[in-house]
Amino acid sequence: MTTILLRTAGELHARTRGGRRAVVMTMGALHEGHATLVRTARELAGPDGEVVVTVFVNPLQFGAGEDLDRYPRTLDADVKIAEQSGADVVFAPAVDEVYPGGEPQVRITAGPMGERLEGSSRPGHFDGMLTVVAKLLHLTRPDVALFGQKDAQQLALIRRMVRDLNFGVEIVAVPTVREDDGLALSSRNRYLSAKERRTALALSQALFAGGDRHAAQEALRARAREVPATQARAEALSAIGESRAAADAHAVAKATPGNPAAVRAAARMVLDDAARLDPPLQLDYLALVDPSDFTEIEDDFTGEAVLAVAARVGTTRLIDNLPLTFGAAS
């Protein structure tokens, strides 16, 4: 398969369409995370469909002092990766193709969800992101668009925009791709020195620590459903010298649907240790949120949640997250 590089929407619209068109939106500097998105798009589009990869560094979603000029532009390499992953087209429009009248006066507003976490740290970022996603959905006219779970808040906002504004497109989430050491793949990882990368591993390690605490709590809760235990049983076991069994029975008797505070604390311990490294990790936020609106969950929460973290190492800002389910059914 030879991947075609197109620069204008007119060229893209002129193509004959057979099956489904699947679109993967990127800002370029493609890596294995993007390749996974493209391969998944190829599966969804099928042999008769078409996979389009967009490459566009969107100026609207970079704030003052952010890395718009520094952001890597590697189009030739991007086309090769897209081709190897199964893309039919790389659509790489110029700024005036996407914004023909200059910066748009009418934009998509992210609303309250867009002001939390990433939105609080990067004011206006999500408005710019949603505006370009809306533009690219119109320009590429896909049946399905795929986005990575690593940008969980972005994914949630895109889903909300598509639902609220009646876009006729299916949004598919693809799990985060990680390097062997656990670091989530990102185009910004290339900015990290060797020492900075060692510190940056704390992001994923913190998430895994929180995930391990959550898994232990959920396992205990499941056991409490299967083997009802009472305080009286724990005291009886203690009386006959079965201290370990008594402690276990007591824990089972007290088991409740996961404890978000304990999950946050386990993750925070790792991040606090990383703040003392050289170079230090500078935490922006650690949050355990409801993915429907990105508000913090309460201790009695049940359902899907996202443990999210953002931090700066040196001059590089990184984000990561881990989906969790509280109170899973037996």
Side-chain angles (χ1 to χ4, degrees):
M1 174 187 294
T2 300
T3 298
I4 299 172
L5 175 62
L6 301 179
R7 297 285 191 170
T8 70
E11 293 172 319
L12 186 58
H13 296 166
R15 288 177 60 81
T16 301
R17 294 180 60 169
R20 304 175 83 201
R21 175 177 285 173
V23 165
V24 174
M25 296 184 189
T26 82
M27 291 206 299
L30 302 191
H31 49 62
E32 180 57 27
H34 297 111
T36 299
L37 285 165
V38 178
R39 288 193 292 268
T40 305
R42 180 76 272 162
E43 293 173 5
L44 291 176
D48 299 324
E50 182 178 62
V51 174
V52 177
V53 176
T54 69
V55 175
F56 181 68
V57 182
N58 177 35
L60 295 191
Q61 64 195 75
F62 287 81
E66 293 189 334
D67 54 358
L68 173 61
D69 293 334
R70 185 184 175 203
Y71 197 88
R73 280 124 169 122
T74 57
L75 184 58
D76 290 344
D78 294 342
V79 172
K80 290 180 181 178
I81 291 173
E83 184 170 82
Q84 292 165 359
S85 305
D88 299 287
V89 175
V90 169
F91 177 53
V95 172
D96 59 3
E97 175 73 12
V98 178
Y99 303 120
E103 285 200 12
Q105 297 300 301
V106 177
R107 307 187 187 195
I108 302 291
T109 300
M113 196 197 318
E115 298 172 358
R116 299 173 186 135
L117 300 188
E118 283 299 290
S120 176
S121 299
R122 305 176 67 189
H125 166 73
F126 285 126
D127 291 356
M129 179 276 295
L130 289 177
T131 298
V132 80
V133 168
K135 294 273 287 185
L136 289 171
L137 287 175
H138 289 313
L139 292 172
T140 60
R141 303 175 182 173
D143 300 289
V144 57
L146 296 88
F147 297 89
Q149 177 64 41
K150 186 179 82 72
D151 296 298
Q153 193 172 2
Q154 169 181 286
L155 172 64
L157 281 162
I158 291 169
R159 281 180 160 156
R160 188 68 190 232
M161 176 184 72
V162 165
R163 183 172 71 249
D164 286 355
L165 301 183
N166 300 100
F167 279 72
V169 62
E170 177 188 358
I171 302 298
V172 171
V174 177
T176 300
V177 178
R178 299 185 180 279
E179 301 194 39
D180 290 342
D181 56 11
L183 188 67
L185 281 172
S186 169
S187 301
R188 290 187 170 92
N189 290 353
R190 68 184 67 196
Y191 300 150
L192 298 169
S193 68
K195 289 182 68 175
E196 288 171 344
R197 184 185 171 86
R198 286 193 290 272
T199 296
L201 291 177
L203 274 78
S204 56
Q205 290 167 351
L207 296 178
F208 298 154
D212 288 346
R213 178 64 60 85
H214 168 265
Q217 292 176 163
E218 290 295 323
L220 188 62
R221 177 176 172 270
R223 184 157 179 241
R225 289 197 307 269
E226 296 168 3
V227 185
T230 64
Q231 188 63 33
R233 178 171 178 267
E235 291 171 354
L237 286 165
S238 182
I240 61 173
E242 296 288 345
S243 57
R244 290 184 64 184
D248 182 65
H250 177 75
V252 171
K254 297 295 185 182
T256 59
N259 184 342
V263 172
R264 292 185 186 95
R268 186 65 188 241
M269 187 177 299
V270 175
L271 297 170
D272 286 346
D273 287 344
R276 294 186 284 272
L277 296 177
D278 178 25
L281 181 140
Q282 302 167 46
L283 183 65
D284 188 344
Y285 62 76
L286 172 69
L288 185 53
V289 299
D290 182 338
S292 69
D293 59 8
F294 270 69
T295 57
E296 290 281 353
I297 64 173
E298 303 292 339
D299 282 346
D300 59 352
F301 180 86
T302 59
E304 301 297 319
V306 173
L307 181 62
V309 63
R312 192 174 295 276
V313 182
T315 60
T316 304
R317 188 175 183 278
L318 301 170
I319 64 172
D320 202 350
N321 70 84
L322 186 69
L324 301 172
T325 302
F326 286 83
S330 58

